Amino acid sequence: MSADEQPLMVQVQGLGKRYRLGTTNRQQLTDDVKAWTAKLLGRPDPTIPVGAEVDPQRIGEDFWALRDVSFEVRRGEVVGIIGHNGAGKSTLLKLLSRITLPTEGTIRMRGKVSSLLEVGTGFHQELTGRENIYLNGAILGMRKAEVNAKIDEIIAFSGITHHIDTPVKRYSSGMRVRLGFAVAAHLEPEILIVDEVLSVGDADFQRKSMGKMKDSAKSGRTVLFVSHNMTAMRSLCQRVIWMEHGRVRMQGPTEEVVAAYLGSYSSSTTEKIWNDQDAPGTEVGRLRQVRVAPASGGELFLWEDVIDVEISFEKYVDEPVYVVIQVSNSDNMVIFTTNIREAVPGVDKLKPGSHVAVCHFPSHLFNAGDLSLSIGMAHNGRMSFKVENVVSFSVVEPPRTGTWHGRRRGMFRLKLPWEIR
Amino acid sequence: MIQQVTVPEKKQFLDEQHWDVVIAPSSPWWKLNLGEIWRYRDLLRELVVRDLTAIYKQTILGPIWVLVQPLITSIMFAVIFGMMARMSLPGIPALLFYMSAIVPWSFFAGVINKTSATLAANANLMTKVYFPRLIPPLSSMFSTSFTFLVQLTLFFVFALVYLLSGSYAWAPGAALLMLPLLLLLEMMLALGVGLIVAAMTTRYKDLGFLIGFAVQLLMYMSPVIFPLSRVDVDSPVRSVLEVNPMTPIIEGFRGALLNTPMDWSTLWYSFAFAAVALITGLALFQRAQRSYADVV
């Protein structure tokens, strides 16, 4: 059976969720009375919080957190949901989890649905770890017989064997998360909905939860996964839905959507062209155009790509002038400087006129992150001028095969020759 | 041809028309999804167990409290209203007279107080996980019922002590069989009122405080501290008592437990009232819980 022939597990049609601005603040009867009296006297409503972001003019106005959202998920698919904060991801998650009801549209699902927006939901302080496994399991929709059958496995997975009959109030927060996750990991739903809050734990926990999600996907489970972590998205999901302003901006194969998403949101300027009047420079020369692009011609600056920096410049003097590139990271720290002088021996004899210098950053060099280039020209042993942050780009690492999707440390991620003797 | 050879269960599963979960903007209030509550019966039981164990683990005296509470109130009432004000029925030990009403009354008050706070108490759960929202109020009702049964047992123990010591010839009659019906009526009424208040507290939190006083006030408008038979038929107090749907229920408990004279037909009024309260409560609660996650 190919993927398209798999049965539909989730069908979302024309989904919308409307909130009314500013009307949910009143919680006391007296507030209603105050608001009503103020309205009668023509004074501003005293119950609206001071400094609230909501414009008083817009109180009662509708706000669509989600609108016209439609998509389908087939069995065994792992679908990622991406988008910036406020794009409607959380609302969509809440609707899929049945925590709140839609204003319009429908969601249809098949089989048992489990949604994990938090681990250890409903843990009771006074109850022991074992009692809480039963309670949490029941909250997540497990039958008692199911928990009975898996209790030993759950306890072993949590690693809290010795303290399992101790009240949870004596547990550390790490132990609680482990216990909660152990229960969640033993749910066997047909559809699993996971929020990225699950990936906030320590490295070990992330590894475990990601591993579990991969297993789920492999065993033919349908997974809907919300995250900001593009590396995780690219390694786990076959398909991605990109949400923007409460609507589906794009959906399709992971690589395509992630590339478009990163492309649209990154503040990168990969090309800078100056016209004759404002081209920066001095009496030795000036810059006309700078362009940075992956040599592969793709849209993303992948870790495994060679990155080309193309600098068009004009040289005025018949003396040696050298093009210099300074690479800075997102903290504005210069991580290295490269000078054409060391690389091109004949550059000293370059005639005045228009030239193009190209620098190739080797593949497997930068760690994932935002980088910006400052370009300058050196003459007579000193920088004649330098233009700060002319172009910028983000390096994206490739999908990982392991279960750890956090950011590696360091500015570089070199592929060095290693050997075993 | 090959596609037609599928496992029967799978065929049903793959049926394009069949969906297990359909989420749509609104469902009518009378759709209670009782089937779903039944599917979540394990959660109901776990919550009852949680309520009971948590109460016992938090206090030093633990389960003793369940017994001490009605006993102290009964003794207090017996001394103040029974012996000093002589309000109880002559011939019946004041302690038994008051216990027979305080036990069912504290059940009624307990269910209302707990179910009315159910949405706020479970706010954290409700914003994270889906389960039928009627489960928490039902679980509070059942855990309170458990307490009630323990306290009722205490009453029987005391009654037997009186009987065996020869100080009072306790002789319950066939009316004892009315107990399950009385309990059921009380459950309906208390749950109904509790759900109405719960629904209203989502908008007005002050009501949560008010309800405690209201229930207390209602106790003095019920035949808890005196028998109905001692109130003049023409007095305005009598008409207040007769409007109160708890009056026949409390009188009924006394009739069942102590064989006091009782007009059982008055229970029809309580039943009608309880049914209306329950239906209203379910409808309002259903409406309130739907938007609750958006408000908290």
Side-chain angles (χ1 to χ4, degrees):
Chain A
M1 241 192 210
S2 83
D4 284 353
E5 290 162 6
Q6 289 285 353
L8 278 182
M9 293 298 281
V10 183
Q11 187 184 47
V12 175
Q13 284 175 328
L15 200 65
K17 176 73 185 178
R18 183 184 58 203
Y19 288 102
R20 198 145 284 175
L21 290 176
T23 51
T24 56
N25 296 320
R26 284 174 219 145
Q27 289 184 330
Q28 292 186 324
L29 191 57
T30 47
D31 281 351
D32 261 2
V33 176
K34 275 187 213 154
W36 183 76
T37 343
K39 205 174 167 187
L40 210 68
L41 297 172
R43 280 200 235 128
D45 188 340
T47 61
I48 295 165
V50 178
E53 273 179 54
V54 180
D55 177 357
Q57 297 276 304
R58 296 181 58 203
I59 294 287
E61 215 175 271
D62 291 341
F63 161 70
W64 288 89
L66 217 60
R67 198 86 202 255
D68 293 331
V69 172
S70 303
F71 60 87
E72 287 175 346
V73 184
R74 291 182 183 275
R75 185 157 70 184
E77 270 193 303
V78 181
V79 175
I81 299 169
I82 58 175
H84 271 225
N85 290 334
K89 293 186 314 266
S90 319
T91 308
L92 179 58
L93 212 57
K94 276 188 184 165
L95 290 170
L96 287 167
S97 313
R98 307 173 73 185
I99 285 161
T100 171
L101 285 171
T103 312
E104 57 180 34
T106 49
I107 300 171
R108 295 188 175 87
M109 293 190 275
R110 286 209 171 96
K112 202 175 142 198
V113 184
S114 288
S115 86
L116 293 177
L117 306 191
E118 184 185 74
V119 288
T121 308
F123 270 2
H124 197 286
Q125 301 290 326
E126 298 290 335
L127 302 185
T128 66
R130 189 187 301 273
E131 289 166 333
N132 267 307
I133 291 177
Y134 280 96
L135 177 60
N136 188 233
I139 287 170
L140 294 173
M142 269 166 125
R143 300 299 318 276
K144 186 162 187 172
E146 247 180 286
V147 185
N148 276 335
K150 291 177 189 163
I151 184 89
D152 294 331
E153 234 179 294
I154 294 175
I155 295 171
F157 191 91
S158 73
I160 317 181
T161 326
H162 294 300
H163 303 286
I164 202 67
D165 292 311
T166 309
V168 161
K169 65 179 171 190
R170 311 221 188 282
Y171 283 20
S172 69
S173 56
M175 282 163 84
R176 270 174 231 199
V177 169
R178 282 202 331 255
L179 187 66
F181 188 73
V183 179
H186 289 83
L187 290 169
E188 277 168 0
E190 267 98 32
I191 302 172
L192 181 65
I193 300 165
V194 192
D195 193 11
E196 70 177 336
V197 288
L198 278 186
S199 51
V200 293
D202 56 17
D204 188 49
F205 177 65
Q206 278 198 33
R207 211 165 287 158
K208 242 182 178 172
S209 68
M210 283 296 171
K212 202 68 203 177
M213 276 186 53
K214 280 195 170 174
D215 291 349
S216 295
K218 273 187 205 137
S219 59
R221 218 149 280 169
T222 305
V223 183
L224 274 162
F225 171 50
V226 171
S227 180
H228 277 119
N229 186 332
M230 291 303 135
T231 312
M233 281 286 159
R234 292 173 64 216
S235 348
L236 286 173
C237 308
Q238 292 118 39
R239 211 151 59 78
V240 165
I241 296 168
W242 168 13
M243 301 288 303
E244 195 181 65
H245 304 309
R247 288 164 196 263
V248 174
R249 163 99 183 246
M250 186 178 174
Q251 54 177 315
T254 306
E255 290 300 321
E256 274 174 41
V257 180
V258 168
Y261 172 74
L262 289 176
S264 95
Y265 281 110
S266 72
S267 53
S268 60
T269 11
T270 54
E271 189 164 8
K272 179 80 187 164
I273 304 172
W274 290 276
N275 59 32
D276 202 36
Q277 282 82 47
D278 55 15
T282 52
E283 65 287 343
V284 299
R286 60 175 184 169
L287 297 173
R288 291 306 298 266
Q289 186 179 345
V290 178
R291 208 170 77 88
V292 60
S296 64
E299 276 177 67
L300 289 180
F301 291 81
L302 298 174
W303 175 65
E304 62 267 40
D305 280 342
V306 169
I307 295 167
D308 292 344
V309 186
E310 219 176 81
I311 304 160
S312 309
F313 64 98
E314 285 165 8
K315 187 175 182 250
Y316 297 146
V317 290
D318 204 2
E319 291 164 49
V321 170
Y322 309 111
V323 179
V324 177
I325 303 173
Q326 254 178 19
V327 183
S328 318
N329 66 7
S330 53
D331 298 331
N332 243 342
M333 191 173 91
V334 177
I335 59 176
F336 70 85
T337 304
T338 177
N339 190 323
I340 197 170
R341 180 182 188 175
E342 295 127 26
V344 185
V347 76
D348 283 359
K349 298 180 186 79
L350 197 69
K351 293 269 172 286
S354 293
H355 303 279
V356 178
V358 182
C359 176
H360 308 282
F361 292 153
S363 62
H364 312 108
L365 172 67
F366 298 111
N367 195 2
D370 297 331
L371 296 168
S372 75
L373 306 182
S374 301
I375 315 280
M377 289 172 101
H379 172 248
N380 251 342
R382 58 173 202 90
M383 279 301 257
S384 178
F385 70 93
K386 187 175 78 183
V387 188
E388 300 279 354
N389 306 327
V390 183
V391 287
S392 59
F393 58 99
S394 308
V395 174
V396 180
E397 60 176 338
R400 292 188 203 156
T401 46
T403 49
W404 157 250
H405 298 98
R407 194 180 184 280
R408 294 202 184 178
R409 293 218 211 163
M411 284 177 248
F412 298 103
R413 186 173 165 186
L414 303 172
K415 198 174 185 182
L416 299 175
W418 278 65
E419 61 181 317
I420 292 172
R421 286 202 174 131
Chain B
M1 273 302 145
I2 294 165
Q3 283 97 320
Q4 288 189 347
V5 190
T6 40
V7 189
E9 296 116 335
K10 262 204 174 143
K11 199 171 176 185
Q12 199 240 335
F13 181 66
L14 298 181
D15 181 3
E16 285 298 313
Q17 303 306 313
H18 174 78
W19 295 96
D20 297 299
V21 180
V22 177
I23 306 169
S26 65
S27 54
W29 62 265
W30 62 84
K31 259 187 97 178
L32 284 175
N33 262 327
L34 291 176
E36 198 178 30
I37 292 175
W38 176 245
R39 274 201 301 286
Y40 272 85
R41 63 190 179 278
D42 282 350
L43 175 61
L44 184 57
R45 188 182 46 225
E46 285 301 328
L47 289 179
V48 172
V49 171
R50 175 194 75 173
D51 281 358
L52 295 174
T53 20
I55 295 169
Y56 300 151
K57 284 187 180 180
Q58 267 166 344
T59 52
I60 303 164
L61 283 178
I64 307 290
W65 272 120
V66 173
L67 301 173
V68 169
Q69 240 168 358
L71 198 60
I72 289 180
T73 319
S74 301
I75 292 172
M76 255 165 48
F77 280 24
V79 171
I80 300 168
F81 300 116
M83 294 172 183
M84 290 159 74
R86 303 205 171 277
M87 281 176 166
S88 66
L89 269 184
I92 296 174
L95 186 66
L96 289 186
F97 177 84
Y98 284 110
M99 265 182 98
S100 66
I102 283 165
V103 169
W105 182 267
S106 50
F107 170 68
F108 177 71
V111 172
I112 290 183
N113 287 334
K114 279 193 201 159
T115 51
S116 63
T118 189
L119 285 172
N122 293 286
N124 178 46
L125 271 187
M126 296 185 56
T127 51
K128 299 290 182 209
V129 192
Y130 173 78
F131 50 85
R133 299 319 194 196
L134 262 179
I135 296 268
L138 285 177
S139 82
S140 331
M141 187 183 73
F142 285 123
S143 59
T144 316
S145 312
F146 180 82
T147 311
F148 168 77
L149 292 178
V150 172
Q151 295 176 346
L152 194 65
T153 314
L154 185 73
F155 171 86
F156 285 120
V157 170
F158 271 81
L160 281 174
V161 169
Y162 273 99
L163 180 66
L164 295 174
S165 69
S167 55
Y168 168 61
W170 180 54
L176 210 51
L177 295 172
M178 290 298 280
L179 279 180
L181 183 75
L182 289 165
L183 178 62
L184 194 72
L185 265 181
E186 228 191 333
M187 280 175 152
M188 282 171 64
L189 185 60
L191 185 66
V193 174
L195 289 178
I196 293 172
V197 179
M200 288 170 78
T201 42
T202 56
R203 185 125 175 81
Y204 305 117
K205 285 204 169 144
D206 320 24
L207 274 180
F209 299 103
L210 275 177
I211 190 68
F213 292 113
V215 170
Q216 215 164 12
L217 191 66
L218 193 66
M219 188 186 80
Y220 292 102
M221 288 156 64
S222 315
V224 172
I225 54 171
F226 47 81
L228 186 63
S229 57
R230 296 195 65 176
V231 181
D232 275 349
V233 183
D234 307 324
S235 77
V237 181
R238 178 83 180 210
S239 40
V240 169
L241 282 166
E242 273 170 358
V243 170
N244 181 358
M246 274 305 280
T247 301
I249 295 177
I250 293 295
E251 280 285 297
F253 270 102
R254 220 167 242 155
L257 294 171
L258 294 169
N259 229 347
T260 53
M262 164 73 194
D263 177 6
W264 294 102
S265 67
T266 51
L267 280 179
W268 282 112
Y269 170 68
S270 299
F271 172 76
F273 200 103
V276 171
L278 187 59
I279 291 168
T280 315
L282 288 170
L284 290 178
F285 184 80
Q286 203 68 349
R287 214 185 59 167
Q289 60 88 3
R290 212 177 286 153
S291 56
Y292 187 64
D294 298 337
V295 184
V296 278

